[in-house]
Amino acid sequence: MPLSDNIKGALYMTAAMAGFGFNDMLVKTATKTLATGEIILIRGTISTCLIFLLALHMGALRPLKTALHPMLALRVLAEVTATFTYIYALGQLPLANAGAILQFLPLAVTLGAAIFLGEPVGWRRWGAIIAGFLGVLLIIKPGPDGFSLASLLALACVFAAAARDIATKRLPQGIPTVYVTLLTSFAVTAGAGLFITPLGGWQTPPLIDVSILALAAICLMVGYLALITAMRTGEISFIAPFRYTYMIWALALSFTVFGDLPDMFMMIGCAIVVASGIYTFCRENRRRTDMPAQSLPRAPH
């Protein structure tokens, strides 16, 4: 049976979270010797070059005036804002606290999709999203530290990322995904170059770190491409819960690479996240099965 656009979007979103998970694992390895701004600049330069070559090969390059399309410009600006507000917040907050705030993103995206795109969101889908969020809270166990400036910036990152995803959904079909990815990667890299000093400065990186960041750039490119394809394929409100699969990749990589053993709360949280995603998947299949039956004309009485 052919897959619906929503199921395809969910699979792309899961692949994107895997790409981002491996990227973050490699970047975490590089943070032992390099500053944040330098990592973003090196990784971004490599990924931008790779994406440019891919776009050139696919014939996906477009005139610069294409970048002035309102939704594309909004997406790029929102991506840059989300990246740097989160990086600043992450430097000031414990990872668990910043991560907990960021997990509001699927709810913000779903709300935005309902308001600005008119997508129908039933109570079951809301329930699955909220259940996944509660599972993430069990995994990261945030502490009650209150809302500092850094916390507010992390919250600003959530709304910027939500605006990015909604803008992605409104992009014209004629703009290739790889071209959108190229502009996004270039903008983030240029931003890192402009703010390299406040983000830790520059030092000559060892070859091993450059190699690690080259692998991270490939994973980031995969994540970007899959994320944009997901947002342009399915309903945002349906695929939003599959962002939670990032935590599964993060836990698996933390254990296999860094030797961090998950505790009972992490295991329960992962089970809830997986269950909410599977439930949403099953709801979509059931809706697709019911729709043809509902569309058939009724027999005359």
Side-chain angles (χ1 to χ4, degrees):
M1 184 173 64
L3 298 178
S4 69
D5 286 343
N6 277 350
I7 300 301
K8 291 178 182 177
L11 293 175
Y12 280 123
M13 180 63 76
T14 303
M17 295 304 104
F20 291 143
F22 278 95
N23 164 75
D24 290 350
M25 178 270 293
L26 293 165
V27 168
K28 180 177 175 62
T29 303
T31 56
K32 297 177 181 179
T33 53
L34 300 178
T36 300
E38 187 173 6
I39 289 174
I40 298 175
L41 182 60
I42 296 173
R43 183 196 63 180
T45 300
I46 297 172
S47 63
T48 301
C49 291
L50 291 175
I51 297 168
F52 174 79
L53 292 175
L54 178 62
L56 186 64
H57 174 73
M58 296 176 62
L61 295 177
R62 294 293 183 269
L64 289 178
K65 64 179 182 180
T66 306
L68 299 179
H69 186 281
M71 288 298 104
L72 183 52
L74 174 60
R75 190 202 186 279
V76 171
L77 179 61
E79 179 72 62
V80 173
T81 303
T83 299
F84 287 99
T85 51
Y86 186 66
I87 287 176
Y88 178 85
L90 196 59
Q92 304 297 318
L93 291 173
L95 176 61
N97 295 68
I101 297 171
L102 197 61
Q103 296 311 310
F104 278 104
L105 179 57
L107 292 173
V109 170
T110 300
L111 178 62
I115 294 174
F116 297 107
L117 301 182
E119 290 189 2
V121 181
W123 66 269
R124 291 182 180 87
R125 205 176 294 183
W126 277 109
I129 293 174
I130 293 172
F133 172 67
L134 294 177
V136 171
L137 287 182
L138 279 176
I139 293 171
I140 60 181
K141 300 183 291 294
D145 290 341
F147 279 91
S148 61
L149 174 61
S151 297
L152 292 175
L153 286 175
L155 191 59
C157 168
V158 170
F159 289 105
R164 172 200 65 195
D165 290 350
I166 293 172
T168 301
K169 188 65 177 178
R170 300 295 297 271
L171 288 176
Q173 291 297 322
I175 302 179
T177 294
V178 68
Y179 182 71
V180 178
T181 306
L182 175 62
L183 289 181
T184 301
S185 180
F186 175 78
V188 171
T189 304
L194 290 174
F195 295 100
I196 187 71
T197 299
L199 288 174
W202 174 269
Q203 62 177 0
T204 303
L207 181 59
I208 183 64
D209 288 328
V210 174
S211 301
I212 289 172
L213 291 176
L215 289 176
I218 295 173
C219 294
L220 184 66
M221 180 178 69
V222 171
Y224 273 150
L225 290 169
L227 176 63
I228 295 172
T229 303
M231 301 310 297
R232 301 181 76 176
T233 301
E235 295 176 8
I236 294 179
S237 54
F238 176 81
I239 64 178
F242 290 87
R243 289 181 181 278
Y244 292 126
T245 58
Y246 169 84
M247 297 304 302
I248 299 173
W249 288 105
L251 285 170
L253 291 171
S254 292
F255 172 67
T256 56
V257 177
F258 303 108
D260 296 330
L261 264 175
D263 58 22
M264 181 182 66
F265 290 102
M266 289 186 177
M267 296 300 293
I268 295 174
C270 278
I272 293 174
V273 170
V274 172
S276 66
I278 292 176
Y279 175 78
T280 310
F281 184 93
C282 292
R283 281 294 305 171
E284 167 64 8
N285 268 341
R286 182 176 177 180
R287 189 177 70 165
R288 290 182 63 229
T289 302
D290 292 343
M291 283 180 63
Q294 294 171 358
S295 62
L296 290 175
R298 294 184 179 181
H301 293 288

